[in-house]
């Protein structure tokens, strides 16, 4: 596709369940980012992948959160044992090269609701 | 660590009014600065960016921003807003050292009344 694609667009889960969120970046974009946006708040950085370099995981809020990326393509964000405070919109973005080289292209986001 | 402050959380204007949204960042080194916009029901998209050179940057839809290094500011301006400018606006900064991902402000919700 032409843009960043995220799935699912909406996910409702029960507290304690695991969830997986998927991101398909724009083809050829080497950098991929995950952000979280809680209701009424700004974007909170989670993790950043750049090519074959070790990912910057400094924004992951706890060890329940993890993310993987296969080469320069799909990324999966996994949240284990979900908690109600995990409810948010999870945004994925990609860029051609690192962020210092240009703009980020965002997906529509995955809205997670933990009951 | 870099951080971004947007002091206006919610702004309500009438059409044709002038707009200025504040953005301040905390980082003493060289930075790249961005404004992103999220229209209702749409994804975030770039409005304008500053990397170097002329500190007055012009973006899409008549928006501009001025980088004032001495004030650590990158305020967004538009001389005359339209109803279609109703959206949420996010300022973001990327430092040339340290974390290589954008740090975003908390956003400003702009509501333009016809």
């Amino acid at each position: 596709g032409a843009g960043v694609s995220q799935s699912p667009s909406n996910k409702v889960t029960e507290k304690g369940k695991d969830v997986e969120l998927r991101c398909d970046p724009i083809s050829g974009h080497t950098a991929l980012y995950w952000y979280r946006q809680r209701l009424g708040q700004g974007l909170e950085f989670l993790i950043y992948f750049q090519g074959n370099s070790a990912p910057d995981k400094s924004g992951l809020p706890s060890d329940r959160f993890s993310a993987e990326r296969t080469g320069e393509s799909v990324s999966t964000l996994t949240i284990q044992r979900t908690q109600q405070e995990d409810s948010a919109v999870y945004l994925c973005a990609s860029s051609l090269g690192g962020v210092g080289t240009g703009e980020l292209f965002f997906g529509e986001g995955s809205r997670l609701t933990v009951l | 660590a870099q951080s971004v402050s947007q002091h206006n959380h919610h702004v309500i204007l009438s059409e044709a009014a002038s707009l200025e949204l504040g953005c301040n960042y905390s980082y003493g080194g060289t930075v790249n600065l961005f404004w992103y916009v999220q229209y209702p029901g749409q994804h975030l998209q770039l409005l304008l960016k500053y990397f170097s050179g002329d500190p007055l940057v012009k973006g899409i839809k008549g928006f501009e921003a001025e980088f004032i290094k001495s004030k650590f500011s990158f305020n967004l301006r538009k001389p005359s807003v339209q109803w279609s400018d109703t959206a949420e606006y996010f300022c973001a900064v990327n430092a040339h050292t340290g974390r290589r991902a954008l740090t975003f402000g908390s956003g400003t919700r702009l509501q333009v009344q016809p």
Side-chain angles (χ1 to χ4, degrees), chain B residues 64-84:
Chain B
E64 65 180 30
E66 184 174 13
F67 170 50
I68 304 179
K69 188 174 181 179
S70 61
K71 295 184 177 180
F72 299 90
S73 70
F74 190 56
N75 291 356
L76 181 70
R77 300 194 294 248
K78 186 171 184 179
S80 176
V81 295
Q82 301 173 315
W83 178 79
S84 58

Side-chain angles (χ1 to χ4, degrees), chain A:
Chain A
V4 176
S5 178
Q6 292 188 245
S7 61
S9 55
N10 278 288
K11 175 72 176 179
V12 180
T13 190
E14 294 179 346
K15 178 180 172 182
K17 301 283 189 182
D18 297 351
V19 296
E20 281 190 356
L21 307 177
R22 177 188 169 102
C23 174
D24 277 288
I26 294 172
S27 177
H29 280 194
T30 61
L32 186 148
Y33 315 78
W34 284 98
Y35 286 85
R36 176 170 71 177
Q37 186 177 21
R38 289 184 167 131
L39 187 64
Q41 300 185 22
L43 278 70
E44 177 186 0
F45 167 74
L46 296 178
I47 188 168
Y48 161 53
F49 297 90
Q50 171 59 60
N52 294 320
S53 302
D56 177 355
K57 302 180 181 181
S58 61
L60 294 178
S62 77
D63 59 7
R64 296 187 295 105
F65 288 73
S66 63
E68 293 183 347
R69 187 181 186 192
T70 308
E72 293 186 351
S73 60
V74 171
S75 176
T76 302
L77 176 69
T78 301
I79 309 172
Q80 296 178 312
R81 304 181 303 281
T82 52
Q83 304 294 313
Q84 288 183 332
E85 62 262 28
D86 299 334
S87 296
V89 177
Y90 289 82
L91 293 167
C92 177
S94 69
S95 66
L96 187 63
V99 68
T101 62
E103 70 180 279
L104 271 61
F105 292 83
F106 282 85
E108 301 277 356
S110 292
R111 182 178 298 277
L112 174 66
T113 303
V114 182
L115 301 177

Side-chain angles (χ1 to χ4, degrees), chain B residues 11-21 63 76-82 85 110-112:
Chain B
V11 174
I12 302 174
L13 295 174
S14 298
E15 277 193 311
S18 64
L19 170 72
E20 181 160 3
L21 301 182
F63 285 91
L76 181 70
R77 300 194 294 248
K78 186 171 184 179
S80 176
V81 295
Q82 301 173 315
D85 294 325
L110 173 64
Q111 184 178 345
V112 180

